Amino acid sequence: MSADSAGKTVLITGASSGIGEACALRFAASGARLILAARREDRLVALGEQLESSSGIEPLLIQLDVRDVGVVTRVLEELPAGWRDVDVLVNNAGLARGFASLAEGDTRDWDEMIDTNVKGLLYVTRALLPGMIRRNSGHIINIGSIAGSEPYPNGAAYCGSKAAVDAISAALRMDLLGSAVRVTDIQPGMVETEFSLVRFHGDAERAGNVYQGVVPLTADDVADTVVYAASRPPHVNIDSIKLKPVAQAWATQLARSSLPPRP
Ligand code: NDP
Ligand code: 8X3
């Protein structure tokens, strides 16, 4: 693994599970200093203890709901001394909620997705970007999705929120043109995490069916890609990377039957 993240301060939103947690483990192994944010504090504390025993690092843990612009702004603008100069921001906090046609969808699900995936990402970035611009150094890594460019039925609001992440990433890159601050959009396909459990409101059977007969990506596969993007030389910007399981050709096109058994 590249050691290029050694000594860098990396802030990860949604670090309490899945891809965010895997990013924390990968960045810790590469010697980064970590600020880990999510709503579930108990999960963050457990991860912090794990990191301390495995890598000897003590992350800064922040209980944060990215939808709350007031709290996001206050907490991130008043980070403790020694933690203020964030080098890498991983905008990972996000979710899908519900799976229904637009005519039948629950508007509360749409609000939750758009408030988290789009507005939360904007709020967190808004709080940290001025410091990066001032220091002429930094990297924003957004976790988009193939859903942004491969939309599917019953996913209009989620797919739309991830298309917004693509557009925000591209526009931000133009805003920052001439500075050394980098912007990357990582777009995973199917990854087995708590994602489907959350989408289906805790229905474990329905969530498990999503991954039946497929070898999905792991959260660590995505974290590996995030750390790769973060560890390129300073003159290289990875605009975007789309990564999928071999058994997935399009968001809705999966080879479920002719696959080897899952490892
Ligand atoms: P998980 O459900 O495992 O993790 C989601 C994380 O987001 C949790 O840590 C959760 O923490 C956090 N989160 C959700 N809402 C908020 C909020 N309001 N404020 C702060 N944190 C929040 O799913 P994944 O790891 O799979 O998802 C991570 C990202 O990857 C998401 O943006 C998702 O859209 C994207 N993605 C996932 C794919 C997949 O197939 N799994 C594929 C492509 C993209 P907590 O609840 O503690 O706040
Ligand atoms: C998660 C992948 O295809 O379920 O973003 O939308 S998908």
Side-chain angles (χ1 to χ4, degrees):
M1 175 178 299
S2 165
D4 289 350
S5 298
K8 285 188 178 169
T9 300
V10 178
L11 189 150
I12 303 167
T13 65
S16 60
S17 75
I19 294 167
E21 181 179 17
C23 286
L25 294 168
R26 281 261 172 190
F27 274 114
S30 69
R33 306 168 75 240
L34 293 177
I35 306 174
L36 305 178
R39 292 166 302 178
R40 287 171 294 178
E41 199 172 19
D42 55 332
R43 294 279 200 106
L44 291 179
V45 169
L47 177 59
E49 287 168 0
Q50 186 187 342
L51 288 169
E52 216 173 330
S53 60
S54 63
S55 311
I57 72 150
E58 201 176 332
L60 177 67
L61 307 179
I62 302 179
Q63 187 180 24
L64 190 70
D65 185 334
V66 298
R67 295 171 298 177
D68 189 332
V69 65
V71 173
V72 167
T73 306
R74 180 174 51 74
V75 168
L76 297 185
E77 289 183 354
E78 295 172 9
L79 286 167
W83 292 96
R84 289 185 188 142
D85 294 349
V86 173
D87 297 299
V88 180
L89 163 62
V90 183
N91 273 318
N92 164 75
L95 78 167
R97 194 72 96 177
F99 191 76
S101 73
L102 211 147
E104 293 168 343
D106 186 328
T107 59
R108 289 167 301 185
D109 289 344
W110 304 347
D111 287 343
E112 191 176 5
M113 287 186 275
I114 291 166
D115 287 351
T116 309
N117 303 357
V118 183
K119 292 165 70 181
L121 178 146
L122 289 168
Y123 297 155
V124 173
T125 307
R126 176 68 182 84
L128 296 176
L129 199 51
M132 291 184 177
I133 293 170
R134 209 167 38 246
R135 296 188 298 280
N136 196 31
S137 168
H139 197 162
I140 312 277
I141 302 182
N142 295 326
I143 306 300
S145 169
I146 62 166
S149 55
E150 301 175 14
Y152 46 84
N154 299 317
Y158 178 72
C159 297
S161 77
K162 290 300 184 177
V165 173
D166 293 357
I168 290 164
S169 304
L172 180 55
R173 209 172 293 116
M174 288 182 258
D175 282 354
L176 292 166
L177 195 58
S179 88
V181 181
R182 299 186 281 181
V183 182
T184 298
D185 181 17
I186 303 290
Q187 304 167 1
M190 180 185 279
V191 191
E192 189 164 9
T193 61
E194 294 175 17
F195 177 85
S196 294
L197 197 62
V198 171
R199 166 168 256 174
F200 297 124
H201 296 276
D203 183 337
E205 193 182 342
R206 202 170 169 200
N209 286 340
V210 171
Y211 310 105
Q212 271 313 308
V214 184
V215 181
L217 297 177
T218 65
D220 184 59
D221 293 327
V222 182
D224 184 31
T225 308
V226 170
V227 171
Y228 169 80
S231 58
R232 294 311 85 209
H235 68 289
V236 177
N237 190 85
I238 304 284
D239 283 13
S240 62
I241 294 181
K242 194 182 263 200
L243 67 155
K244 291 182 178 130
V246 173
Q248 186 173 34
W250 192 257
T252 47
Q253 296 293 308
L254 291 136
R256 289 191 189 271
S257 52
S258 56
L259 285 165
R262 295 175 61 177

